[in-house]
Amino acid sequence: MALGKYSRVEGKKSSGYCSTVSIVVFVAFCLVGIWMFMSSAVPVQDQQLQSEETTIEVKRQVVNDGNSKQFEDSSGDLQEDATRTTDSSGVDSQTVVETQEETSSKEEAEAETESQNVSDEKTVSEDDNANSVNGDSDSETGEKEEEVSRDTDESEQPESNENEENDDQTKQKDEMVRQTEEKDEKNQESDSEQSDGGDNKESQEKVDVAELLKERNVENGAWSTQVVESEQEKSKQDSVYQNQNDYDWKLCKVTAGPDYIPCLDNWRVIRNLRSTKHYEHRERHCPDESPTCLVALPEGYKRPVKWPASRDKIWYRNVPHSKLAEVKGHQNWVKLTGEYLTFPGGGTQFKNGALHYIDFIQKSLPKIRWGKRSRVILDVGCGVASFGGYLFERDVLAMSFAPKDEHEAQVQFALERGIPAISAVMGTKRLPFPGSVFDLIHCARCRVPWHVEGGKLLLELNRVLRPGGYFVWSATPVYQKLPEDVGIWKAMSRLTKSMCWDLVVVNKDRLNGVGAAIYRKTISNECYSNRSRNEPPVCSLSDDPNAAWYVPLKACMHEVPEEESKRGSRWPAEWPSRLEKAPYWLNSQVGVYGKAAPEDFAADYKHWKNVVSQTYLEGMGISWSSVRNVMDMKAVYGGFAAALKDLKVWVMNVVPIDSPDTLPIIYERGLIGIYHDWCESFSTYPRSYDILHADHLFSVLKDRCNLRQVIAEADRMLRPEGKLIVRDNVETINEVESMAKSLKWDVRFIFSNDKEGLLCVQKSFWRPTETQAILSTIV
């Protein structure tokens, strides 16, 4: 009984003890679970903080690297002609010397840094995920191991040690909970401090960057920021896009069609002329407003034949006129041969070829010395300009001119062949050249009545001929004995004698059956004073021999300069030395750019040699082998043309009438040129030039001309695929670029720096379909 009672009491004790153990184990499990949860959560938080710190550090590195790249010292200053090219699609593809290299390096560094950022962020994120997953896995593994361990301990340890171990475990768990809570508080404080610290760091970084920019901007004032550059570019593009829509180009509907020359086809004025006796109808009569329409292309127009093959043949479709071939074919002017117009090199006075005729002239007077003493000449009534075309072989540059008359397209033939020529006439106005500039003047059956009205037309030649220069007259009065010819010869003899011209030689070319008389202009005023009659009279001292823009002809002669310091008192140096030497008569003058004229001259030549060699020949993508006819729309000393002397091109140097009169200097160098007002149309046929060059011209013209009219004129003069090169201020460059794009031209090259810009655009074959009738041009 007693044993049984005892047994019942011990059973109660054992049951209570098991309950206690179960509770303790349960609590332990809960604490372990809490501890495991906290241990898995805290590392994730630490990793997030580490990620934020890493991100902040990377951002700071990007800013610092960007600024160090942007402002690091370069190997040299920005080159004057650093370039930015564009492809045919119009997308800019910069090749700026040094500046673009720095830009490219900066872009690459930024790209690499951004890539590294992404990589680092991905790495951090992956680590976070890995740690989080591993933490959960470790927690679960730990719980399982702990359970196994406890089960083993409970089965192996005596009951007397269980309470002690449970107490120890309880204390450990309590301590862990306390440490976890403290750690949570510290983490929260750390988060707050980290957030404040991050803000302070970012703020400090902004201050440091701003200070760096400020400091560097002071030291590098020419540098801009990406924000400014981007906003300006977007604004410019928006403006350009808007401006492009403002231009509504139309096709000129005129009687002349593809051959339209606005100042020579103004039939409203021509019909109302009181007289055409002095060829007034062949002179310039510009419309009140220059046209803004575009000239049509001839049907089937092709890319012109390249020089020198073009001297002998051109595409018929480019100048589709056959009348001259029918009328002058027997004189070997021009022939129609299949799809070509061919030029045998003949002329009215040299049926057997121009070269033989050229050599005949020099044999008649060896002192002419083609290409040495005689470098720049004027060919009057040039026909298709074969004489000037073949003079290139003698290193002679001829300015050829003829009127737009019944010899249809003769000057257009010349230009298409690659020979310098303009449409002009000996009429009632002075020729657009300064006085005393041509080494020699040539007339071969030029149909000019030199002897009439006091010799007014021959006196105009006297004005533009250098003292000591030669006049070669090859015409029937020289070698024929018909009554009319004899009468003209006698009249010419009297006139030239009274003008103090010396008849040097009269010779006959037996092969061609023609003759030539060669006269020499006086180099002294003594003859003028010794004449028995003052006929023709000497011009008054107030009459400027260089004034030539719409100035009426006068039947008088200008005195010859005799002072050694005056232009014309000495013959220029021989070619090619004269090209690089400043004229002797500049010594006492101040140059266009403010220095002594010789220094100005030398600096200008050096400048253009550098520009041409470093940029124009290499940096613009121009195929110079396809270039022949070039115009400098605003020549100063002719430096641009001089820099091209080694190329197979010729340059028409235009001195605008509102620019310093430097055209005499250009001729003194052995180059050719002309005066012109760019508010009017130029006296040339459409599609005459391969390259037009305008150096700070358009910004000046905007003050008194409609720039759109000037660009329409440039379009008229340029051949399809011809180039317009513009150097000007950025505002003007943007305007020209906008108009060029509206004309469907390709932007081949564009660059700007410090308010100055350089632009090269290429004319396309595009023509509008809508027409605009120009009533003044309708016959």
Side-chain angles (χ1 to χ4, degrees), residues 304-308 310-311 388-393 396-397 414-420 623-631 644 647-652 688-691 719:
V305 178
K306 294 182 180 180
W307 180 269
S310 62
R311 187 186 65 180
Y390 281 89
L391 276 171
F392 279 111
E393 295 193 15
V396 176
L397 196 53
L415 290 164
E416 185 72 13
R417 297 173 68 189
I419 303 170
S623 176
W624 286 91
S625 63
S626 301
V627 174
R628 176 61 181 172
N629 303 354
V630 180
M631 175 184 284
L644 296 174
L647 302 182
K648 299 299 182 182
V649 303
W650 61 267
V651 180
M652 179 68 75
S688 297
Y689 288 90
D690 300 301
I691 288 181
R719 293 169 169 173

Side-chain angles (χ1 to χ4, degrees), residues 262-558:
C263 290
L264 298 180
D265 291 319
N266 189 352
W267 288 98
R268 176 178 293 170
V269 173
I270 293 173
R271 281 195 299 263
N272 294 322
L273 290 174
R274 295 182 179 180
S275 171
T276 59
K277 179 181 178 181
H278 298 97
Y279 300 94
E280 291 90 343
H281 57 304
R282 307 298 185 194
E283 294 183 317
R284 291 172 57 86
H285 302 286
C286 298
D288 295 333
E289 290 288 334
S290 295
T292 56
C293 56
L294 308 182
V295 177
L297 295 177
E299 185 177 352
Y301 182 87
K302 299 181 180 181
R303 184 181 291 112
V305 178
K306 294 182 180 180
W307 180 269
S310 62
R311 187 186 65 180
D312 302 325
K313 66 178 182 179
I314 62 174
W315 295 110
Y316 169 74
R317 288 293 185 184
N318 288 11
V319 191
H321 299 290
S322 59
K323 182 179 177 180
L324 203 58
E326 298 169 2
V327 175
K328 295 291 186 179
H330 67 288
Q331 296 177 347
N332 287 331
W333 278 38
V334 56
K335 296 179 182 290
L336 181 58
T337 309
E339 58 182 353
Y340 293 102
L341 287 166
T342 57
F343 302 86
T348 304
Q349 296 299 98
F350 39 93
K351 299 176 185 178
N352 293 289
L355 275 180
H356 169 81
Y357 176 73
I358 290 168
D359 293 339
F360 156 72
I361 292 173
Q362 179 157 303
K363 288 178 181 178
S364 300
L365 185 60
K367 289 183 179 180
I368 287 178
R369 300 178 64 219
W370 295 125
K372 297 294 183 181
R373 183 185 190 274
S374 300
R375 162 64 182 176
V376 284
I377 77 163
L378 181 68
D379 188 16
V380 182
C382 63
V384 297
S386 289
F387 181 67
Y390 281 89
L391 276 171
F392 279 111
E393 295 193 15
R394 300 293 184 264
D395 232 357
V396 176
L397 196 53
M399 172 69 81
S400 303
F401 77 90
K404 188 178 184 182
D405 59 9
E406 64 274 9
H407 289 162
E408 62 176 1
Q410 54 186 337
V411 168
Q412 191 175 19
F413 286 146
L415 290 164
E416 185 72 13
R417 297 173 68 189
I419 303 170
I422 60 169
S423 291
V425 66
M426 301 289 297
T428 65
K429 304 289 193 303
R430 287 180 176 177
L431 296 171
F433 312 116
S436 302
V437 292
F438 290 103
D439 303 333
L440 181 145
I441 298 177
H442 173 257
C443 164
R445 293 284 289 273
C446 54
R447 305 199 319 172
V448 178
W450 301 117
H451 60 289
V452 302
E453 297 185 350
K456 184 181 292 186
L457 298 180
L458 193 62
L459 290 169
E460 173 61 4
L461 294 191
N462 184 77
R463 181 184 72 85
V464 298
L465 183 63
R466 289 187 187 279
Y470 296 108
F471 173 57
V472 178
W473 185 37
S474 178
T476 55
V478 176
Y479 56 89
Q480 289 187 357
K481 300 302 180 182
L482 298 175
E484 182 182 4
D485 291 326
V486 172
I488 294 174
W489 174 256
K490 290 181 178 180
M492 276 291 287
S493 298
R494 290 192 297 269
L495 176 61
T496 53
K497 184 178 180 179
S498 65
M499 291 171 58
C500 296
W501 282 13
D502 296 328
L503 178 58
V504 181
V505 65
V506 177
N507 201 6
K508 189 170 183 177
D509 177 11
R510 298 188 181 280
L511 178 63
N512 289 306
V514 299
I518 303 177
Y519 300 87
R520 183 175 183 262
K521 179 179 175 179
T522 185
I523 59 173
S524 170
N525 293 315
E526 183 179 357
C527 176
Y528 297 156
S529 303
N530 295 334
R531 291 181 302 166
S532 59
R533 296 179 57 189
N534 190 29
E535 292 291 340
V538 175
C539 300
S540 64
L541 295 177
S542 62
D543 192 300
D544 186 355
N546 296 323
W549 189 244
Y550 289 126
V551 176
L553 292 178
K554 285 186 178 181
C556 66
M557 299 178 298
H558 294 89

Side-chain angles (χ1 to χ4, degrees), residues 681-702:
S681 176
F682 193 77
S683 293
T684 192
Y685 278 85
R687 304 169 302 280
S688 297
Y689 288 90
D690 300 301
I691 288 181
L692 300 179
H693 181 258
D695 180 28
H696 291 83
L697 170 67
F698 295 147
S699 56
V700 176
L701 289 176
K702 288 194 299 183

